């Protein structure tokens, strides 16, 4: 087998020039794959216990929670779903739901009329085509009301253990910052990133990237100065690089662990 050598790692000075608008040296395909996998391993050290932040016990509950999470925080969805799941325990309950009553249960998640339509339609579709059960195939899931590939991959990866990449706003923002892909269409992003990282890692990678986006690599002011990915990130420097300033930006229960990894 032909041996191909990756481009040597860049120095901090080169990264700083790139972050401030300088020209970044071309990166070979092999170097990109190696960098992406190295970053994934580092994220695994930073977030060793990643998980779906939506509360659920069955595939149907996860499907419903994921539909409700559109334009809504997971925290808010988790406040709503205990009563919702108790009132609507199966597909038939959603299919036969009184619309006004269902809307009241989910009103605080926003866009509640559209979401009620999706949940009623979901229950009906599951009864009519899948014996009331959530299917385990992507091609079936994406035909359901309220489902796109993102929702389908959330359900596949977290309810059924079938690897999938979830391209939400955090994921899209970070893979662009990391120059893993220049694609903007979520499906193309999914395929591009899937080609960089081993399939068995797809679900965990999705969680790790989302965790990192919520806790460290924020949209407006990323905590560059304490980021465990700093040496591999071509966007290093778009946020504060001073460790003390950056440390104050870190959020979430992993904060102490993240700061320890960064030497703080």
């Amino acid at each position: 087998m032909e041996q191909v050598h990756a481009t040597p790692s860049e120095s901090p000075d080169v990264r700083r020039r790139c972050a401030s608008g300088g020209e970044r040296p071309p990166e070979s395909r092999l170097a990109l794959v190696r960098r992406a996998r190295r970053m994934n391993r580092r994220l695994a050290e930073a977030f060793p216990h990643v998980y779906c932040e939506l509360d659920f016990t069955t595939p149907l509950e996860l499907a419903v929670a994921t539909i409700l999470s559109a334009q809504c925080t997971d925290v808010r969805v988790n406040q709503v779903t205990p009563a919702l799941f108790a009132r609507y325990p199966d597909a038939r309950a959603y299919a036969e739901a009184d619309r006004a009553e269902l809307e009241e249960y989910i009103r605080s998640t926003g866009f509640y009329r559209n979401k009620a339509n999706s949940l009623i339609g979901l229950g009906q579709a599951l009864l009519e085509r899948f014996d009331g059960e959530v299917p385990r195939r992507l091609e079936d899931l994406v035909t359901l009301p309220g489902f796109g590939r993102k929702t389908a991959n959330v359900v596949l990866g977290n309810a059924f253990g079938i690897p999938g990449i979830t391209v939400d706003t955090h994921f899209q923002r970070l893979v662009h910052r990391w120059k893993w892909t220049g694609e903007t269409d979520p499906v193309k992003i999914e395929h591009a990133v899937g080609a960089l990282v081993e399939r068995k890692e797809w679900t965990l990678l999705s969680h790790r990237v989302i965790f990192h986006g919520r806790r460290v690599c924020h949209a407006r002011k990323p905590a560059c100065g304490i980021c465990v990915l700093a040496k591999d990130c071509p966007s290093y420097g778009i946020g504060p690089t001073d460790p003390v300033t950056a440390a104050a930006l870190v959020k979430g229960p992993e904060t102490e662990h993240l700061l320890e990894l960064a030497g703080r």
Side-chain angles (χ1 to χ4, degrees), residues 113-125:
R113 291 191 178 92
N114 288 338
K115 291 177 181 180
N117 287 338
S118 293
L119 295 183
I120 293 171
L122 173 64
Q124 293 171 345

Side-chain angles (χ1 to χ4, degrees), residues 150-167:
K150 184 183 96 170
T151 302
N153 279 321
V154 169
V155 172
L156 287 175
N158 297 283
F160 296 124
I162 299 172
I165 292 176
T166 302
V167 181

Side-chain angles (χ1 to χ4, degrees), residues 10-11 19-20 25 46 76 102 117 140 158 161 174 179 181 204 215 218 224 235 245 258:
E10 298 166 359
S11 70
S20 61
R76 170 61 65 183
L102 177 58
N117 287 338
D140 292 329
N158 297 283
L174 267 60
K179 309 300 183 187
T181 178
L204 289 175
R215 288 143 170 84
H218 311 299
C224 293
S235 296
T245 304
L258 293 172

Side-chain angles (χ1 to χ4, degrees), residues 13-256:
D13 288 339
V14 171
R15 289 198 309 275
R16 291 189 187 99
R17 287 199 300 273
C18 297
S20 61
E23 190 72 21
R24 183 175 177 83
E27 183 175 39
S28 71
R29 176 68 182 179
L30 177 59
L32 172 59
V33 170
R34 287 180 172 174
R35 181 168 64 87
R37 296 187 179 191
R38 188 165 58 246
M39 293 172 78
N40 180 42
R41 290 193 297 271
R42 192 61 171 152
L43 285 173
E45 296 174 6
F47 304 104
H49 305 297
V50 290
Y51 49 87
C52 178
E53 295 189 285
L54 292 168
D55 295 337
F56 71 98
T57 60
T58 67
L60 177 60
E61 288 184 355
L62 179 57
V64 169
T66 306
I67 289 171
L68 295 180
S69 70
Q71 304 297 313
C72 182
T73 67
D74 290 353
V75 172
R76 170 61 65 183
V77 172
N78 290 338
Q79 292 171 348
V80 167
T81 50
L84 181 71
F85 293 162
R87 177 66 180 84
Y88 305 96
D90 53 31
R92 183 170 297 280
Y94 287 104
E96 298 176 351
D98 176 83
R99 184 180 303 275
E101 180 185 14
L102 177 58
E103 287 178 356
E104 285 305 308
Y105 273 94
I106 65 174
R107 179 182 291 270
S108 64
T109 68
F111 303 96
Y112 61 92
R113 291 191 178 92
N114 288 338
K115 291 177 181 180
N117 287 338
S118 293
L119 295 183
I120 293 171
L122 173 64
Q124 293 171 345
L126 292 179
L127 283 180
E128 293 169 2
R129 296 193 278 129
F130 300 105
D131 296 322
E133 300 296 326
V134 177
R136 300 169 61 99
R137 300 195 311 164
L138 178 67
E139 53 265 43
D140 292 329
L141 288 170
V142 296
T143 69
L144 296 172
F147 268 72
R149 287 184 69 94
K150 184 183 96 170
T151 302
N153 279 321
V154 169
V155 172
L156 287 175
N158 297 283
F160 296 124
I162 299 172
I165 292 176
T166 302
V167 181
D168 74 347
T169 55
H170 296 290
F171 192 95
Q172 183 165 341
R173 182 179 79 250
L174 267 60
V175 299
H176 284 164
R177 281 182 176 173
W178 299 339
K179 309 300 183 187
W180 283 11
T181 178
E183 300 289 354
T184 56
D185 177 76
V187 177
K188 292 181 178 180
I189 292 172
E190 178 188 336
H191 292 316
V193 174
L196 298 177
V197 179
E198 307 94 321
R199 185 175 185 271
K200 65 180 182 179
E201 289 286 303
W202 287 356
T203 300
L204 289 175
L205 171 68
S206 299
H207 287 315
R208 291 166 188 156
V209 174
I210 292 169
F211 270 47
H212 192 66
R214 287 175 172 170
R215 288 143 170 84
V216 178
C217 196
H218 311 299
R220 294 185 179 179
K221 190 182 289 186
C224 293
I226 58 84
C227 181
V228 298
L229 303 178
K231 71 177 183 179
D232 278 315
C233 180
S235 296
Y236 174 84
I238 65 173
T241 58
D242 173 67
V244 174
T245 304
L249 299 173
V250 181
K251 301 178 180 179
E254 303 87 358
T255 296
E256 183 177 348

